Structures are given as C-alpha cells and as structure tokens.
C-alpha cells in the first residue's frame, strides 16, 4: 500500500541553524500539508500546498518557514533560523483530491533544537 | 474558529474491557469528523470517519457516531485488546470550508493483559 515517507526520523540542531525536513507524498496525490505537534500539545496545522503554491497557512507559519516541491516527488519544509520553541514532531500529509478526502500522514520527523 | 476537545488520558483498561473516549467539537458549517490513531513510533493513521450527521464510522471493532445535536463523536469499542494501546486523536475538517484538519489533544490508551 502506498505511504507517505519522511526523512530524517530525528533531527537535532543548534538554535539559529537552518533545517530542511523532507517528505515524499503518495505519488498521485495533489494536496500536501505540514502539521506539527509540540510535546504534550495538540497537532497543529502549519501549511497546505497545491499546484505549486501555498493554498492556506496558519499564523504559526511565519517568515522563518517555507515550503517547496523541488521535483515531482519531494515536498520540503525549511525553517531558516530555528528557535528552541520549534522543537516538535513535524508531520507531512497528502490527499488525492477534495477537501474531505482522507489525509494520509507520514511517520513524522522529531526536531530537537538545542 | 473550529476546535476539538477530547477526554484527558491516559485511559487504562484491562483486555476485553469496554472503551469510550469522549470527543466534542465546535465548528461552523458542517464538518466531517475523524478518529486517527498513532501507534508507538508510527505516524497518524485514519481509524474511521463520518461525513454527515447520524453517520456511523466503524473499523477494526471501533465505532463512532456523528451527533450534531450534542456536537459529539465519541469513540467506542466493545472489547479492547493489548494491541489497541496507542494514542487516539479526534479531528474535524471542513467546518469552515477549509481543507485543514483541526485535532484534539489526543488520548493515550493503555491496555493490560
């Protein structure tokens, strides 16, 4: 069964460094998402991406965040200058089409900012 | 904005016990409702969903009914197994017409033999 994959599974970085989290969505899916979960808190929406542009973003997704689909398969989340409070589990998700389609999630990347 | 409230965990049960995890929501419009499950070390997996009032979603012995009058979507299972130990997330989408999921905080379920 096709699945969403994410790399790395765990990333440790120093405050102020740039990180890139990678996701490979399911191949025929058209909408892509990033969510994050700070330890002990809710899973929160960051951004959605469709047709090579951002379609929605939350207030969390400020100028230090960016997303890109550099080729036909990868979908990346870049954090330009990490802060301690960016430490969280980051989940990528994709759907084939339609607002209420099932979102398929990857296993997540745990980001630790020291 | 949209919000989802779940009961606090952990919920600790013995094998074959009855499970209920409460979930209530606030949303504008007519959301679709979901239960996702996260097993240790894995991503979020869809467990079941319901897209309109009075629909019942079911999967792997779990059930939840979309109750518009009480704005609830409680998860139930008649007889839990050790392998059901996981974190369960209630979520909604589409209440305001957007395609983003709004999640509850998650409820950890621990089932002992």
């Amino acid at each position: 069964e096709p699945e969403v994959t994410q790399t790395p599974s765990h990333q440790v970085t120093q405050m102020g460094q740039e990180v890139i989290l990678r996701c490979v969505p399911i191949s025929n899916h058209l909408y892509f998402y990033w969510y994050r979960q700070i330890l002990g808190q809710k899973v929160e929406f960051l951004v959605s991406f469709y047709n090579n542009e951002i379609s929605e973003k939350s207030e969390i997704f400020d100028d230090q965040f960016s997303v890109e689909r550099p080729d036909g398969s990868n979908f990346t989340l870049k954090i330009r200058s990490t802060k301690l409070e960016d430490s969280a589990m980051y989940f990528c998700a994709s759907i084939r089409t339609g607002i209420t389609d099932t979102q398929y999630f990857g296993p997540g990347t745990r980001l630790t900012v020291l | 904005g949209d919000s989802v409230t779940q009961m606090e965990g952990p919920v600790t049960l013995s094998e074959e016990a009855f499970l209920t995890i409460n979930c209530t929501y606030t949303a504008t419009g007519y959301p679709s409702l979901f239960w996702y499950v996260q097993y240790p070390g894995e991503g979020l997996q869809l467990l079941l969903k319901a897209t309109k009032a009075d629909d019942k979603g079911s999967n792997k012995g779990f059930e939840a009914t979309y109750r518009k009058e009480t704005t609830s979507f409680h998860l139930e299972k008649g007889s839990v197994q050790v392998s059901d130990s996981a974190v369960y997330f209630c979520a909604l989408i589409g209440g305001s017409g957007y395609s983003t999921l709004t999640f509850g905080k998650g409820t950890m379920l621990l089932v002992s033999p």
Side-chain angles (χ1 to χ4, degrees):
Chain A
E1 185 177 326
E3 58 183 20
V4 177
T5 59
Q6 290 185 243
T7 54
S9 57
H10 190 192
Q11 172 95 43
V12 180
T13 190
Q14 297 289 325
M15 191 168 55
Q17 295 296 304
E18 175 183 286
V19 295
I20 297 176
L21 310 183
R22 291 183 167 80
C23 168
V24 179
I26 295 173
S27 63
N28 63 347
H29 283 194
L30 301 177
Y31 295 78
F32 314 114
Y33 302 82
W34 284 101
Y35 293 83
R36 78 172 186 190
Q37 184 183 28
I38 295 171
L39 188 64
Q41 297 187 23
K42 295 185 179 188
V43 177
E44 301 171 293
F45 166 72
L46 293 178
V47 65
S48 61
F49 193 85
Y50 170 71
N51 201 26
N52 284 319
E53 60 183 26
I54 290 173
S55 52
E56 298 171 55
K57 61 182 180 178
S58 72
E59 58 190 26
I60 302 170
F61 193 88
D62 61 21
D63 291 345
Q64 72 161 338
F65 291 92
S66 62
V67 289
E68 193 178 32
R69 189 157 163 82
D71 52 44
S73 59
N74 288 284
F75 178 52
T76 62
L77 174 69
K78 182 193 289 186
I79 309 175
R80 287 191 184 82
S81 177
T82 50
K83 306 183 182 108
L84 295 176
E85 54 265 37
D86 293 328
S87 295
M89 181 73 89
Y90 288 81
F91 294 104
C92 174
S94 69
I95 61 173
R96 192 172 60 84
T97 183
I99 289 175
T100 56
D101 257 4
T102 297
Q103 293 192 17
Y104 291 87
F105 282 79
T109 293
R110 179 165 297 286
L111 176 65
T112 302
V113 182
L114 302 176
Chain B
D2 299 344
S3 67
V4 175
T5 303
Q6 286 181 241
M7 61 189 290
E8 295 279 333
V11 173
T12 305
L13 295 173
S14 298
E15 207 163 26
E16 299 183 3
F18 184 86
L19 168 72
T20 300
I21 299 178
N22 290 336
C23 170
T24 56
Y25 68 89
T26 302
T28 55
Y30 302 96
S32 293
L33 303 174
F34 302 81
W35 277 100
Y36 278 83
V37 58
Q38 184 179 30
Y39 298 103
E42 299 185 17
L44 296 164
Q45 301 174 26
L46 179 69
L47 181 59
L48 53 84
K49 69 178 184 180
T51 56
K52 62 182 187 298
D54 300 325
D55 268 3
K56 178 186 281 188
S58 61
N59 185 26
K60 299 181 182 179
F62 291 89
E63 292 183 340
T65 301
Y66 188 162
R67 300 281 188 207
K68 191 169 184 294
E69 64 276 13
T70 54
T71 61
S72 65
F73 193 54
H74 304 321
L75 182 68
E76 296 181 336
K77 187 175 186 183
S79 176
V80 294
Q81 306 299 312
V82 172
S83 56
D84 293 327
S85 297
V87 181
Y88 292 81
F89 293 90
C90 186
L92 67 83
I93 196 169
S96 53
Y98 295 112
S99 66
T100 64
L101 280 164
T102 298
F103 284 89
K105 270 193 164 185
T107 302
M108 179 177 287
L109 170 65
L110 299 171
V111 181
S112 55

